[in-house]
Amino acid sequence: MNQHKYIQYLITMAGLEDTSFVDTPMKVNVKYRKEGLLEDPTLYRSLIGSLIYLTTTRPDISYVVHQVSQFMSSSRHLYLAAV
């Protein structure tokens, strides 16, 4: 699967087909609240793992992926929205 198709697969898996792209995917120095623990963090963890894999060919997203991957053990709704 080429990179473009893989990215499209991730967008579909996250349910973001009807969203728009942004130049800056995440604000710097954002403090996330510890509310709204995900009952099933499977989607969050799957997306993070896929994004980590994608950073090998897309180093421009490494910072954002690193930021959201810090919450793997306590996945929350807000973190999933950030992904």
Side-chain angles (χ1 to χ4, degrees), residues 41-58:
T42 305
L43 175 61
Y44 178 81
R45 291 177 181 166
S46 178
L47 287 171
I48 294 298
S50 298
L51 289 171
I52 289 170
Y53 174 75
L54 192 58
T55 61
T56 59
T57 58
R58 294 288 310 271

Side-chain angles (χ1 to χ4, degrees), residues 10-55:
L10 292 179
I11 290 169
T12 303
M13 184 171 65
L16 299 173
E17 302 91 82
D18 297 327
T19 58
S20 59
F21 295 95
V22 293
D23 290 331
T24 306
M26 180 179 233
K27 293 182 180 180
V28 179
N29 298 322
V30 173
K31 301 291 182 193
Y32 292 103
R33 292 174 278 148
K34 295 183 177 185
E35 299 172 0
L37 194 62
L38 290 173
E39 290 179 25
D40 182 10
T42 305
L43 175 61
Y44 178 81
R45 291 177 181 166
S46 178
L47 287 171
I48 294 298
S50 298
L51 289 171
I52 289 170
Y53 174 75
L54 192 58
T55 61

